[in-house]
Amino acid sequence: MVKLTTELIQSSMQYINPCRDRELDLRGYKIPQIENLGATLDQFDTIDFSDNDIRKLDGFPLLKRLKCLFFNNNRIVRLTENLEQYLPNLETLVLTNNNLSELGDLDPLSTLPKLRTLSLMHNPVANKQHYRAYVAYKLPELRLLDFRKIKQKERDEANALFKSKKGKELQKEITRKAKTFVPGGNLPDPKVTNLAPQEIHKIREAIKNASSLQEVERLTRMLQSGQIPGQKPLQPQSQSNGQQDEVEEMETEQSNGQ
């Protein structure tokens, strides 16, 4: 992985793209997180982050000029709140082939006032029931979803559904699911499993290196059943306070990092 440094930003390819926009190309560096974008001096209309290892859409400074972001083929599972404070003029957001899983995970996009084009193709969330209806309802200014126009009839049906009694119940369930799941957060109860420091390290590494949201969920289920990746299931034992504290610290780090 390559850290997104000021030097990398300044040395990366910059050009005028076919849309006559000034674009910064940050493709394929395996960047793990967004940082140091203040070094762009807000001189770009488009930034391409495709083919990296970014897990969360955050870390932006105020970029008034930026209109288009590409995040194809990353590992994004979360979108930060208050994006409109940093990207007030964002019009196009391409998140094709990432790991967004719940409809409620998309709610932060609803505050972007100028978002008109959104791609979530090849994300688990795109297979959820009511996916297009929910996005059409939550993002009333959006025009293209997954490169298909949101027709007025589709939007009217979405509004009718989610403003109904059934729709309000659906929204509560959607919100609950989005707030409940935290990748790597549901680790085994330290009172049930006896985890040595080296085993804790293995858990951290397994979750850190998971290649998909499904893999994270599989590891979580293993851990909840008292298993360490690559080892036999653990037997319930008592645990020292020092080990319990280390597990709790790990849980906090994982929750804050996702």
Side-chain angles (χ1 to χ4, degrees), residues 165-229:
K165 182 177 179 180
K166 175 185 176 182
K168 290 177 181 177
E169 291 300 317
L170 280 173
Q171 288 187 69
K172 289 180 182 179
E173 180 66 10
I174 288 168
T175 300
R176 184 190 68 79
K177 287 183 178 180
K179 290 182 177 180
T180 297
F181 179 70
V182 177
N186 298 321
L187 296 175
D189 187 342
K191 297 178 182 177
V192 176
T193 57
N194 185 18
L195 301 177
Q198 60 268 30
E199 292 170 334
I200 293 173
H201 177 73
K202 286 185 178 181
I203 297 172
R204 282 200 181 105
E205 290 304 306
I207 293 173
K208 177 181 177 181
N209 295 322
S211 59
S212 68
L213 189 59
Q214 289 77 12
E215 179 70 6
V216 172
E217 292 172 335
R218 184 184 70 81
L219 289 168
T220 300
R221 288 195 297 271
M222 286 179 62
L223 295 169
Q224 288 173 330
S225 65
Q227 291 180 269
I228 299 298

Side-chain angles (χ1 to χ4, degrees), residues 223-242:
L223 295 169
Q224 288 173 330
S225 65
Q227 291 180 269
I228 299 298
Q231 295 186 8
K232 294 180 179 179
L234 298 172
Q235 298 298 320
Q237 298 181 34
S238 61
Q239 183 181 41
S240 69
N241 289 336

Side-chain angles (χ1 to χ4, degrees), residues 77-221:
V77 296
R78 284 290 180 272
L79 309 175
T80 192
E81 303 285 342
N82 304 316
L83 281 168
E84 77 285 354
Q85 295 181 13
Y86 310 102
L87 307 171
N89 294 307
L90 189 68
E91 299 175 1
T92 299
L93 179 59
V94 178
L95 294 164
T96 301
N97 196 27
N98 278 277
N99 294 323
L100 292 161
S101 62
E102 299 294 339
L103 292 174
D105 295 339
L106 309 179
D107 286 358
L109 300 178
S110 65
T111 61
L112 290 168
K114 296 188 178 181
L115 190 63
R116 300 293 183 269
T117 300
L118 174 65
S119 174
L120 294 163
M121 298 171 67
H122 306 300
N123 281 258
V125 70
N127 296 319
K128 290 286 184 179
Q129 186 179 17
H130 306 303
Y131 160 65
R132 282 189 64 88
Y134 187 76
V135 175
Y137 173 70
K138 279 291 187 174
L139 283 69
E141 300 302 320
L142 196 68
R143 296 293 174 263
L144 290 175
L145 175 60
D146 299 338
F147 306 103
R148 285 173 50 202
K149 184 177 179 179
I150 298 177
K151 297 180 180 180
Q152 188 58 46
K153 180 181 179 181
E154 189 176 11
R155 197 181 300 279
D156 291 342
E157 290 175 350
N159 290 337
L161 170 61
F162 285 104
K163 288 180 180 179
S164 67
K165 182 177 179 180
K166 175 185 176 182
K168 290 177 181 177
E169 291 300 317
L170 280 173
Q171 288 187 69
K172 289 180 182 179
E173 180 66 10
I174 288 168
T175 300
R176 184 190 68 79
K177 287 183 178 180
K179 290 182 177 180
T180 297
F181 179 70
V182 177
N186 298 321
L187 296 175
D189 187 342
K191 297 178 182 177
V192 176
T193 57
N194 185 18
L195 301 177
Q198 60 268 30
E199 292 170 334
I200 293 173
H201 177 73
K202 286 185 178 181
I203 297 172
R204 282 200 181 105
E205 290 304 306
I207 293 173
K208 177 181 177 181
N209 295 322
S211 59
S212 68
L213 189 59
Q214 289 77 12
E215 179 70 6
V216 172
E217 292 172 335
R218 184 184 70 81
L219 289 168
T220 300
R221 288 195 297 271

Side-chain angles (χ1 to χ4, degrees), residues 8-47:
L8 178 60
I9 291 169
Q10 293 175 345
S11 63
S12 294
M13 186 178 295
Q14 306 173 13
Y15 55 91
I16 302 299
N17 66 24
C19 296
R20 306 301 301 167
D21 288 335
R22 186 170 178 80
E23 181 168 337
L24 174 64
D25 187 348
L26 294 170
R27 296 175 65 104
Y29 290 108
K30 300 303 178 184
I31 296 165
Q33 66 184 41
I34 301 167
E35 55 188 334
N36 296 317
L37 283 183
T40 66
L41 303 178
D42 198 14
Q43 293 181 345
F44 297 96
D45 306 285
T46 299
I47 301 179

